[in-house]
Amino acid sequence: GLTLRFDPLRQETALCERITQDGLPARPFTLIKNGVLKNLICGERAARRLGIPAPGNTSDSLILEPGAASLDALIGGVERGLLTFAFSGNCRSDGGFSGVCGNSFFLRDGRITSAADSVSVSGSWPELLGAGAFALSAETGTNGEFVLPWARLDGVRDRGDGQVARI
């Protein structure tokens, strides 16, 4: 299952907050473990009101645990898809999402066909994860704030100009 955590103490997240918005030392915590929500992202005041411990980190140092497959294995066998390392967007309470994938490549018939610059995507995380149309590579990369594997999104369609895709 999917594991998402925050760790401001890792060397790869050196650009992240060391002090929370509440003025406390930032500390590691797990948001999702094996697909199960374990914590909420909130400040100390909100945590007190909810009767839960403050998470100790509110925004930075995101670490998405890698998958087991190599990047080459991730790409192989995909009829149509998108390989991406960067996503900027939003999620709705029903699990829907929309945003832009950067640092991406279109996949066709098991190989990278072209670079995909600023590809708009939308879909449903429950449908995407439930259908097995989402996979993570064993390899990771970092930008100083996040440590992320490559993600393969199957079933991506584009308009032909490389700018819009729907999942």
Side-chain angles (χ1 to χ4, degrees):
L2 191 71
T3 296
L4 184 63
R5 57 192 182 86
F6 296 83
D7 189 346
L9 307 178
R10 274 183 69 155
Q11 180 179 356
E12 298 97 323
T13 59
L15 298 178
C16 295
E17 65 184 17
R18 297 295 188 243
I19 304 294
T20 69
Q21 64 189 13
D22 298 315
L24 301 171
R27 63 182 192 273
F29 83 99
T30 299
L31 180 65
I32 300 169
K33 184 170 184 170
N34 293 324
V36 178
L37 182 67
K38 295 294 187 179
N39 287 297
L40 299 175
I41 298 175
C42 59
E44 186 177 349
R45 182 175 178 218
R48 271 197 315 270
R49 294 182 98 177
L50 292 168
I52 62 173
N57 189 325
T58 53
S59 62
D60 293 331
S61 69
L62 177 81
I63 299 168
L64 180 56
E65 292 296 325
S70 71
L71 186 55
D72 288 340
L74 212 61
I75 294 168
V78 175
E79 186 177 324
R80 291 181 67 106
L82 184 72
L83 181 69
T84 187
F85 184 73
F87 174 79
S88 177
N90 60 59
C91 294
R92 299 186 313 259
S93 61
D94 66 355
F97 67 89
S98 63
V100 177
C101 290
N103 196 11
S104 302
F105 302 91
F106 285 113
L107 303 175
R108 186 155 195 153
D109 299 324
R111 53 188 189 86
I112 294 173
T113 58
S114 61
D117 184 38
S118 300
V119 177
S120 298
V121 296
S122 62
S124 165
W125 283 117
E127 290 176 20
L128 193 63
L129 294 171
F134 174 82
L136 300 174
S137 71
E139 299 87 347
T140 62
T142 184
N143 65 359
E145 291 183 78
F146 309 122
V147 179
L148 302 170
W150 285 87
R152 184 192 72 210
L153 309 176
D154 297 343
V156 172
R157 295 174 197 81
D158 67 87
R159 291 189 321 204
D161 61 5
Q163 294 303 306
V164 177
R166 289 191 72 78
I167 298 171

